[in-house]
Amino acid sequence: MKVAVVGAGTMGSGIAQTCALAGHELVLVDTNPGALERARETMRGSLARMVKKETIEAREAEDALGRVAFKHGITGLEDAGVVIEAVFESLPVKREVWSELASSTSEGALLATNTSSLSVTAIAAFSGRPERFCGMHFFNPVPMMALVEVVRGLRSSEETVEQARAFTEGIGKTPIVCEDKPGFIVNRLLVPYINDAAHALSEGVASAEDIDKAMRLGANMPIGPLALADLVGLDVCLAAAESLLSEFGDPKFRVAPLVRQMVRAGKLGRKSGEGFYSY
Ligand SMILES: NC(=O)c1ccc[n+]([C@@H]2O[C@H](COP(=O)([O-])OP(=O)(O)OC[C@H]3O[C@@H](n4cnc5c(N)ncnc54)[C@H](O)[C@@H]3O)[C@@H](O)[C@H]2O)c1
């Protein structure tokens, strides 16, 4: 089956690599030629690490890269049976991309967005084929993370959801079907958890180190919530928390003022060298 992945950033390149390793012919599309070049290098590096760890053989890595075509511009995707969009997390950008995809993909194609926080139902409407549309929410880094949330939009057909479930299973992932509600499953639970840890820190419950240690030793978490926030990026955590608050309008999602202040100060976590910890 030929797959088109639109958006060659962090997620698009990971999704493309995973599909190609599973044997799909693939076209990776972006409007930025630099992004396509970076995606090629990222995939090459990631596949080389898998070979080194003996997860795959050198020949498999080579064949996978050979199955990927890099394409500048959203045209001529009529031969793709599955189209997965992973462009910027912005509704206006997704609207523009899906209105272009509506005329450059075939009627029968399975259509999916990798959005984390936007409404799948809203993006489906831009495609003009909402019954053929669903969410396929992959996790970062895609080659390592087993889960895909298959999100049922309000107008997704049962056949579409079933095809998405089977497709993601076929590329070696574990799909879980959920409804199109803000945060789906993982972010709905994880974002308030991180946010509550920031509330606890600012209330002086304990130090960042002790909050994280408590959750590792007392709840068997592999990483503490504040260290996790630094890893994800505080700007990303803030945007996700704001989106849950505005979508649900429920004060239980109140954003920790400390996180907002840290983002204003440029303390974004690992990527800026400082967050709840220094790097
Ligand atoms: N990064 C994560 O941890 C993560 C996890 C799950 C889901 N997501 C979701 O995946 C999507 C992509 O996120 P990302 O982190 O890979 O972003 P990114 O910024 O790394 O990549 C986005 C890519 O989209 C391209 N793009 C922008 N406009 C385009 C257009 N009109 N046509 C074609 N390509 C275009 C950009 O050039 C860029 O290469 C978002 O919806 C995000 O919410 C991200």
Side-chain angles (χ1 to χ4, degrees):
M1 165 116 62
K2 187 150 182 186
V3 179
V5 176
V6 183
T10 309
M11 297 304 289
S13 63
I15 296 167
Q17 176 181 322
T18 304
C19 294
L21 258 182
H24 293 292
E25 287 295 321
L26 200 125
V27 55
L28 182 57
V29 181
D30 207 291
T31 42
N32 174 356
L36 289 170
E37 205 36 58
R38 281 193 296 281
R40 192 197 300 271
E41 287 317 306
T42 303
M43 286 164 71
R44 208 189 294 282
S46 168
L47 288 165
R49 282 192 297 281
M50 289 170 97
V51 171
K52 205 168 165 196
K53 282 193 201 153
E54 298 184 359
T55 329
I56 56 169
E57 291 180 12
R59 184 60 203 259
E60 286 177 78
E62 211 175 292
D63 288 350
L65 257 188
R67 280 192 281 271
V68 183
F70 295 84
K71 191 169 181 305
H72 180 220
I74 306 177
T75 48
L77 303 175
E78 290 81 4
D79 57 348
V82 179
V83 180
I84 305 170
E85 167 269 312
V87 302
F88 297 144
E89 187 73 338
S90 141
L91 211 52
V93 173
K94 295 206 192 267
R95 178 189 291 127
E96 187 191 312
V97 166
W98 278 107
S99 19
E100 283 184 63
L101 285 170
S103 57
S104 56
T105 57
S106 82
E107 279 292 317
L110 174 63
L111 310 175
T113 177
N114 185 45
T115 185
S116 299
S117 63
L118 301 171
S119 157
V120 169
T121 303
I123 303 170
F126 305 148
S127 76
R129 274 173 265 156
E131 65 293 339
R132 290 299 290 146
F133 198 102
C134 66
M136 278 188 204
H137 186 219
F138 289 82
F139 290 77
N140 187 24
V142 180
M144 312 292 300
M145 301 294 281
L147 179 66
V148 178
E149 290 173 324
V150 171
V151 185
R152 193 199 316 268
L154 208 62
R155 297 183 63 186
S156 307
S157 74
E158 268 320 301
E159 187 194 5
T160 296
V161 172
E162 177 48 32
Q163 279 176 5
R165 207 197 52 71
F167 173 77
T168 49
E169 206 164 56
I171 57 169
K173 299 298 181 195
T174 303
I176 291 184
V177 176
C178 64
E179 301 301 315
D180 183 24
K181 308 278 172 162
F184 312 134
I185 302 171
V186 173
N187 286 342
R188 179 175 178 151
L189 300 187
L190 191 60
V191 172
Y193 166 63
I194 290 175
N195 193 43
D196 274 348
H199 280 301
L201 178 67
S202 44
E203 285 167 25
V205 172
S207 66
E209 287 81 358
D210 283 350
I211 288 172
D212 278 354
K213 198 171 174 184
M215 292 312 292
R216 280 191 282 108
L217 303 185
N220 247 357
M221 296 294 186
I223 180 172
L226 300 171
L228 180 60
D230 279 358
L231 193 66
V232 172
L234 267 67
D235 51 340
V236 176
C237 293
L238 176 60
E242 279 175 332
S243 152
L244 286 178
L245 180 64
S246 81
E247 285 284 330
F248 284 113
D250 184 333
K252 81 174 180 186
F253 295 110
R254 184 174 69 91
V255 177
L258 175 63
V259 174
R260 203 185 293 284
Q261 276 296 65
M262 288 172 72
V263 171
R264 287 179 181 142
K267 294 186 179 188
L268 305 181
R270 282 180 184 267
K271 63 184 166 194
S272 73
E274 199 182 351
F276 291 107
Y277 299 91
S278 293
Y279 300 92

